[in-house]
Amino acid sequence: NRKKKRMTAPAKVVYFNIQGRGEIIRLLFEMTGTPYENVAAQWPAIKSEQAFGQIPLLEWNGLRLNQSLAIARHIARETGLYGTTNDEASRIDMIVDGEADLRNTYTSINYGNDYDSKIRHYRDTTYPNQLGYFEKLLEGDWFVGSKPSLADAVVWNLLDIHLKIFPKSLDSFPKLKSFHQRFAEIPNVKNYINSDRRPTNINANGKGMSPIEN
């Protein structure tokens, strides 16, 4: 069994005032009721202090950690969101990595050139094709095991941000649609998404906040 560290001071999440790469970190803390503090990044003043010149940054119990998925995995291990066996942890990793591939595709379009045509092509091809894989992987209420895990958090967040721009994107995926609703009803999650702790803007460039018309 993986031993959890003893929690002392609240964690600090240093990031911009957007959801972005910081949202999954906040979501994991919120799911488990783990105290944390959002700290506005003094950017670019702190850039040279980061492991790869990027944020988010987690400061927690003496640990400084960059890279959003490394942070997410660390939090999941520390708070019981990484399955109950090594096999479950590995399946969680598989789903997290699959989600990251799709998220990176979306991010490259969002911050790249020719957004209007590329986002529509993505909506009609890549995104629904990939949702088919996640629909197949979801065999019960949750992606791995009998309770919510890191895998559920990352997939829910991915679905949630896409529903802003593709409101009907889950209509052909009944299991994912039910999953999205079920996860949002977890009391701590429901409290968070309806609170002012959650940043309004999804992306730094203001895109991704309204439906993409035909």
Side-chain angles (χ1 to χ4, degrees):
N1 291 334
R2 295 175 296 278
K3 187 176 180 180
K4 301 186 187 77
K5 282 195 282 189
R6 188 176 172 185
M7 308 304 171
T8 53
K12 291 184 179 180
V13 180
V14 183
Y15 196 55
F16 308 113
N17 186 31
I18 60 171
Q19 293 181 28
R21 298 284 184 175
E23 187 64 2
I24 187 60
I25 298 168
R26 302 182 191 103
L27 190 58
L28 294 172
F29 281 137
E30 294 282 352
M31 285 173 67
T32 56
T34 304
Y36 75 102
E37 176 186 357
N38 279 313
V39 178
Q42 301 301 308
W43 197 260
I46 65 170
K47 180 178 175 70
S48 63
E49 302 169 8
Q50 310 311 308
F52 297 98
Q54 299 172 324
I55 50 176
L57 165 68
L58 173 70
E59 296 182 348
W60 196 18
N61 293 333
L63 175 70
R64 286 175 55 91
L65 197 62
N66 290 111
Q67 297 297 97
S68 57
L69 287 183
I71 294 170
R73 287 185 166 103
H74 178 73
I75 296 169
R77 284 191 292 266
E78 296 298 305
T79 59
L81 295 177
Y82 221 141
T84 57
T85 66
N86 285 338
D87 284 356
E88 286 191 353
S90 294
R91 283 191 61 81
I92 289 169
D93 282 337
M94 177 185 73
I95 292 166
V96 169
D97 289 352
E99 183 276 342
D101 287 344
L102 184 53
R103 184 183 296 263
N104 288 340
T105 300
Y106 166 70
T107 301
S108 67
I109 295 170
N110 187 68
Y111 288 99
N113 298 322
D114 200 18
Y115 173 80
D116 288 342
S117 65
K118 287 182 178 179
I119 197 66
R120 286 169 172 80
H121 179 73
Y122 170 80
R123 176 195 62 192
D124 297 336
T125 57
T126 305
Y127 188 56
N129 289 344
Q130 292 298 308
L131 287 187
Y133 295 120
F134 289 104
E135 177 87 354
K136 186 176 180 180
L137 285 166
L138 183 60
E139 297 178 348
D141 285 349
W142 312 112
F143 276 94
V144 179
S146 60
K147 63 179 184 177
S149 72
L150 170 62
D152 300 294
V154 296
V155 175
W156 181 83
N157 180 236
L158 181 80
L159 300 177
D160 197 57
I161 63 175
H162 279 79
L163 283 170
K164 291 280 190 182
I165 53 174
F166 311 145
K168 298 180 179 180
S169 57
L170 297 183
D171 288 358
S172 297
F173 303 96
K175 291 196 294 183
L176 289 177
K177 188 171 186 176
S178 294
F179 161 77
H180 180 267
Q181 296 168 346
R182 181 165 51 251
F183 187 92
E185 287 298 318
I186 295 172
N188 282 3
V189 174
K190 186 175 183 179
N191 177 274
Y192 171 61
I193 61 181
N194 290 301
S195 74
D196 58 7
R197 297 190 302 280
R198 191 185 199 196
T200 300
N201 287 336
I202 295 172
N203 302 302
N205 60 7
K207 293 177 181 176
M209 296 300 296
S210 58
I212 302 295
E213 305 295 339
N214 289 331

